[in-house]
Amino acid sequence: MANQEDLLKKVVAHAKEYGFVFPSSEIYDGLGAVYDYGQYGSELKNNIKSFWWKAMVQMHENIVGIDASIFMHPTTWKASGHVDAFNDPLVDNKDSKKRYRADVLVEDHIAKLEGKLNKEVEKARKRFGDSFDEAQFRDTNGRVLQYQQKINDINDRLKAAMDNGQLADLKQLIEDLEIVCPISGSKNWTDVRQFNLMFSTELGSVADGANTIYLRPETAQGIFVNFLNVQKTGRMKIPFGIAQIGKAFRNEIIARQFIFRMREFEQMEMQFFVKPGDEMEWYEYWKEKRMNWHNALGLGEDNYRFYDHLNLAHYANAACDIQFNFPMGFKELEGIHSRTDFDLKAHEKYSGKKLQFFDPQENQSYVPYVVETSIGLDRTFLAVMSAAYQQETLEDGSERVVLKIPAALAPVKVAVLPLVKKDGLPEKAREILDDLKFDYNCQYDEKDAIGRRYRRQDAIGTPYCVTIDHESLQDNTVTLRDRDSTKQERLHIQDLKKRIETLVSVNTLLTKL
Ligand code: GAP
């Protein structure tokens, strides 16, 4: 656990030092849970978006993409339920005057118990050595079972209180568990209150009779309100999907865990409209498709798992998360939800407009059901960065920090490096760069010894370095160095482009789907 927390700290520091992610408005000491993507971060983000867009839109004849506005008519959020129900339960400590999410206080308490449980397991592992059977130990050890029982009980009470909106029960749970404020150390809590997560602002000047509008808390509603526009203009037939990538805003109270939970973030969502009754089949289809997308990245299949929602929202008839093994543990990366006809029906009701599909085969109109896939772009970024970050000792004994980012997502694909800064090598290198730059984001670097230049490229995750030496001037060959293996191959300059294409193209990922 300590190592994992350490990893998050290292990733945060590395992301800042190497131009991936900066705290927002840092010269003014930053803004909580808001971050800026730097020169390499924005490239990585764009590449993730491109892989998602191509996988969802380009690879599916029946999925199209849109780009809806962040501002929407305020009634949208009444219809979607966000005005009335998009709340977090908050509790204040009367002594420190600090505000907390009540459910997170309880979750932190559970995490502590899990920590103690895991300690027991680790102690036993040391004691028993190679013969240790972890599963059996977890099933039979008295102390571990006690911890597990406690965790389950608390989880059940937390779920029941959250699902039924029983704020008094939540407060009782905090009191029963004797949770103290991390700052004041006291148990002097206020009652738990609901707090809406949507940011609001004013449209038009106040004198004109301003209208309160919201910054969208999810991109999905931009798709629902455009369902008919897209279906008619695109002559789409059920089943079909609408995809979108865009910003969403939530006034998250807990500002921590880097870009995992932000107040301004990006979602990549797809709403798939199906015939009522077919939704479970499509739900299973999209679970598999989306897991394949994650696995294609090669971050390790063991780092992903499905987590089924046990207590479903009132409008869903199935829902699960794809969780990723972040440095903080397994946490939600993507949601897959079978949302029935809840959203379209609600918009029909509030707008007075029909949002239906005429099915020529059935010779009738119906409100389609929806299966949604919703993935956080920033969380995907964090997943890639934390799996990619590695400290290694090379064969020659030297140390390096390398980002083993999937080549197709790497911010810089190729670095072009003349071995020395003279004898015509820089000119030759520039010739190669001028050819490659039409297809790839490349970097030219002639400063410092070649080893230091390789280290700089390793640190930003550049998968390939092309080195030009004196031999290159004689026979038009160069070396191509692989970031992960550090192995070099010699090849002819005229074969370079083709070779790189096979290594870094996003098609290498798309063909795995
Ligand atoms: N339309 C469904 C929807 O918005 P969600 O589970 O609330 O569902 C979907 O959000 C995804 O958006 C999450 O799985 C997560 O990856 C990402 N996400 C949600 N809140 C976030 C936040 N505050 N910061 C970063 N990503 C967030």
Side-chain angles (χ1 to χ4, degrees):
M1 193 68 183
N3 276 346
Q4 288 295 90
E5 273 163 24
D6 224 32
L7 173 63
L8 183 63
K9 278 193 197 135
K10 283 179 181 164
V11 169
V12 175
H14 192 87
K16 181 160 181 255
E17 189 182 344
Y18 286 92
F20 283 83
V21 184
F22 307 122
S24 159
S25 19
E26 196 189 3
I27 57 169
Y28 297 105
D29 294 335
L31 186 65
V34 186
Y35 290 90
D36 295 340
Y37 287 85
Q39 64 276 25
Y40 298 125
S42 53
E43 294 285 347
L44 172 55
K45 226 175 141 187
N46 281 339
N47 294 339
I48 296 171
K49 284 196 227 184
S50 171
F51 175 42
W52 184 86
W53 191 269
K54 285 184 180 201
M56 300 301 275
V57 178
Q58 199 170 311
M59 305 292 283
H60 290 95
E61 285 174 34
N62 59 350
I63 300 182
V64 290
I66 65 164
D67 183 13
S69 295
I70 286 168
F71 291 142
M72 300 183 71
H73 192 286
T75 310
T76 307
W77 305 110
K78 192 76 194 152
S80 67
H82 284 81
V83 170
D84 296 319
F86 195 51
N87 299 318
D88 270 350
L90 298 189
V91 65
D92 291 11
N93 183 269
K94 290 183 197 163
D95 299 317
S96 68
K97 309 271 182 275
K98 282 277 168 201
R99 180 164 289 177
Y100 300 92
R101 255 177 69 175
D103 54 331
V104 172
L105 282 179
V106 176
E107 279 171 4
D108 285 350
H109 186 85
I110 293 172
K112 275 188 201 149
L113 291 175
E114 278 170 346
K116 286 183 184 169
L117 186 154
N118 288 332
K119 238 188 201 156
E120 294 293 331
V121 176
E122 288 319 308
K123 266 196 317 204
R125 191 191 310 282
K126 273 200 193 126
R127 202 166 351 118
F128 292 113
D130 286 346
S131 62
F132 182 55
D133 180 342
E134 183 175 333
Q136 194 197 3
F137 182 76
R138 282 178 184 272
D139 284 347
T140 52
N141 179 271
R143 215 175 274 172
V144 166
L145 288 173
Q146 251 176 12
Y147 281 131
Q148 195 56 56
Q149 186 58 45
K150 255 192 203 163
I151 291 168
N152 294 348
D153 290 348
I154 300 170
N155 260 327
D156 288 348
R157 282 181 69 185
L158 176 64
K159 263 198 166 53
M162 294 292 286
D163 291 344
N164 304 324
Q166 292 301 336
L167 302 183
D169 291 357
L170 205 47
K171 165 112 188 258
Q172 193 59 53
L173 185 55
I174 290 172
E175 285 177 348
D176 292 351
L177 296 175
E178 303 190 343
I179 293 176
V180 298
C181 166
I183 306 230
S184 68
S186 88
K187 296 179 222 159
N188 198 5
W189 298 107
T190 63
D191 284 341
V192 179
R193 285 163 298 118
Q194 291 288 21
F195 173 85
N196 194 286
L197 292 183
M198 282 197 294
F199 285 101
S200 62
T201 185
E202 306 287 316
L203 187 73
S205 75
V206 178
D208 291 336
N211 221 340
T212 298
I213 57 165
Y214 301 100
L215 300 188
R216 65 180 179 199
E218 63 172 11
T219 56
Q221 298 304 323
I223 291 178
F224 288 124
V225 299
N226 278 299
F227 159 73
L228 215 52
N229 283 337
V230 175
Q231 189 272 316
K232 287 212 177 315
T233 57
R235 296 185 297 119
M236 309 301 289
K237 304 262 178 299
I238 294 260
F240 75 92
I242 306 178
Q244 177 171 219
I245 300 176
K247 291 262 175 156
F249 303 83
R250 297 181 188 179
N251 199 359
E252 302 280 2
I253 298 309
I254 308 293
R256 61 176 192 193
Q257 293 176 335
F258 193 37
I259 53 174
F260 182 81
R261 196 177 301 287
M262 300 161 92
R263 296 200 165 108
E264 174 181 342
F265 58 100
E266 258 179 284
Q267 290 185 316
M268 306 191 284
E269 296 199 296
M270 193 275 302
Q271 263 60 42
F272 200 71
F273 299 93
V274 305
K275 198 167 134 190
D278 288 354
E279 70 276 11
M280 290 321 288
E281 200 181 304
W282 286 109
Y283 174 71
E284 292 302 329
Y285 173 89
W286 282 110
K287 271 177 74 173
E288 191 188 328
K289 274 264 161 188
R290 292 304 306 147
M291 191 57 107
N292 288 348
W293 185 88
H294 290 284
N295 285 330
L297 289 172
L299 306 182
E301 299 198 1
D302 290 350
N303 280 326
Y304 298 91
R305 69 182 187 197
F306 284 112
Y307 173 79
D308 287 324
H309 291 201
L310 302 174
N311 295 301
L312 296 170
H314 60 280
Y315 52 78
N317 59 6
C320 69
D321 296 334
I322 293 179
Q323 295 186 331
F324 182 76
N325 189 11
F326 287 101
M328 316 79 77
F330 273 97
K331 299 224 177 253
E332 176 184 346
L333 170 60
E334 170 158 11
I336 299 162
H337 313 125
S338 174
R339 299 180 65 117
T340 67
D341 54 5
F342 170 81
D343 301 271
L344 289 179
K345 275 219 168 120
H347 287 304
E348 277 198 328
K349 181 174 151 210
Y350 278 84
S351 68
K353 310 268 168 26
K354 265 197 158 74
L355 296 174
Q356 303 193 356
F357 172 75
F358 177 74
D359 191 327
Q361 270 154 9
E362 304 280 325
N363 197 28
Q364 63 161 350
S365 294
Y366 54 78
V367 178
Y369 270 38
V370 171
V371 175
E372 156 184 88
T373 71
S374 175
I375 173 171
L377 175 55
D378 311 272
R379 287 191 190 176
T380 311
F381 186 107
L382 182 58
V384 170
M385 284 291 277
S386 45
Y389 181 93
Q390 286 177 34
Q391 287 172 302
E392 285 182 351
T393 307
L394 297 177
E395 271 172 19
D396 64 4
S398 63
E399 301 275 330
R400 71 166 179 171
V401 170
V402 54
L403 290 185
K404 294 188 173 173
I405 298 173
L409 302 186
V412 176
K413 298 284 189 271
V414 189
V416 183
L417 317 171
L419 190 61
V420 290
K421 226 188 317 186
K422 56 182 186 183
D423 305 337
L425 297 190
E427 290 77 7
K428 188 81 181 166
R430 287 243 171 242
E431 255 176 51
I432 294 172
L433 181 88
D434 284 342
D435 185 32
L436 292 178
K437 73 183 180 192
F438 287 93
D439 296 296
Y440 311 109
N441 201 19
C442 302
Q443 249 183 24
Y444 176 83
D445 191 2
E446 58 177 26
K447 199 169 174 298
D448 299 322
I450 195 74
R452 287 187 70 175
R453 282 182 270 167
Y454 285 152
R455 284 303 92 77
R456 278 202 287 271
Q457 296 301 329
D458 288 343
I460 61 167
T462 306
Y464 296 98
C465 290
V466 174
T467 307
I468 293 89
D469 52 25
H470 290 93
E471 221 180 305
S472 311
L473 301 179
Q474 313 296 322
D475 62 5
N476 269 324
T477 61
V478 290
T479 58
L480 185 67
R481 172 194 183 260
D482 179 281
R483 174 196 66 198
D484 298 349
S485 67
T486 74
K487 296 265 178 307
Q488 309 203 5
E489 63 176 300
R490 190 126 200 134
L491 75 176
H492 205 277
I493 291 172
Q494 72 189 26
D495 300 328
L496 195 56
K497 226 175 175 176
K498 215 164 164 205
R499 179 90 182 96
I500 292 172
E501 175 66 18
T502 60
L503 298 167
V504 307
S505 163
V506 71
N507 293 354
T508 58
L509 303 182
L510 293 171
T511 48
K512 289 190 203 165
L513 299 178

